[in-house]
Amino acid sequence: QVQLVESGGGSVQAGGSLRLSCAAPGSRISNFCMGWFRQAPGKEREGVAFISGDDHADYVDSAKGRFSISKDYTKNTLYLDIIQVKPEDTAMYFCAADFDGSWCQTTGGPAADDFGYWGQGTQVTVSS
């Protein structure tokens, strides 16, 4: 069983920055395709950024430029850095993972249904 534990959410003013973390205790993240999704109130869950087991990173178009996905193998942790946050970034952010494969590098990023393991989410609220 793969456990994912997000942290780092909170309230931030527009223009600020934020780092979200996703720890995977007991798992080797190099074996996984991992991704960040977000869901705003009243909206569907949407992909943000993805990273393969061999560190190939990809972003949805709306995330390019302000979002950065990375991994720390020594901490077995996935990160999402957000700069110049905007009120429209307000959402619950979820970490997702599944065993790596070519599916991870699908054009436009994998779909939520491609991931079998999810964290509980961490709330990000951006005030103007």
Side-chain angles (χ1 to χ4, degrees):
Q1 188 73 336
V2 178
Q3 183 182 12
L4 302 173
V5 182
E6 299 102 330
S7 61
S11 298
V12 61
Q13 287 196 323
S17 60
L18 205 60
R19 165 170 271 198
L20 306 181
S21 300
C22 173
S27 298
R28 184 172 293 182
I29 59 175
S30 59
N31 292 336
F32 295 97
C33 174
M34 303 186 77
W36 287 98
F37 290 79
R38 67 183 182 181
Q39 187 167 17
K43 295 188 177 180
E44 292 187 357
R45 188 171 298 191
E46 62 176 1
V48 177
F50 312 93
I51 190 164
S52 66
D54 60 355
D55 293 343
H56 175 84
D58 197 10
Y59 303 86
V60 299
D61 286 344
S62 60
K64 292 177 180 177
R66 295 193 299 115
F67 292 74
S68 178
I69 190 170
S70 62
K71 291 187 286 187
D72 184 334
Y73 290 102
T74 64
K75 297 181 179 180
N76 226 32
T77 298
L78 175 75
Y79 299 105
L80 183 69
D81 291 296
I82 314 171
I83 62 172
Q84 300 171 15
V85 295
K86 302 177 180 180
E88 50 263 44
D89 294 326
T90 295
M92 183 73 80
Y93 284 72
F94 298 90
C95 169
D98 215 316
F99 293 98
D100 200 15
S102 59
W103 63 271
C104 189
Q105 300 186 33
T106 301
T107 300
D113 287 347
D114 292 327
F115 293 92
Y117 302 100
W118 291 82
Q120 80 288 350
T122 185
Q123 177 69 38
V124 172
T125 302
V126 182
S127 57
S128 57

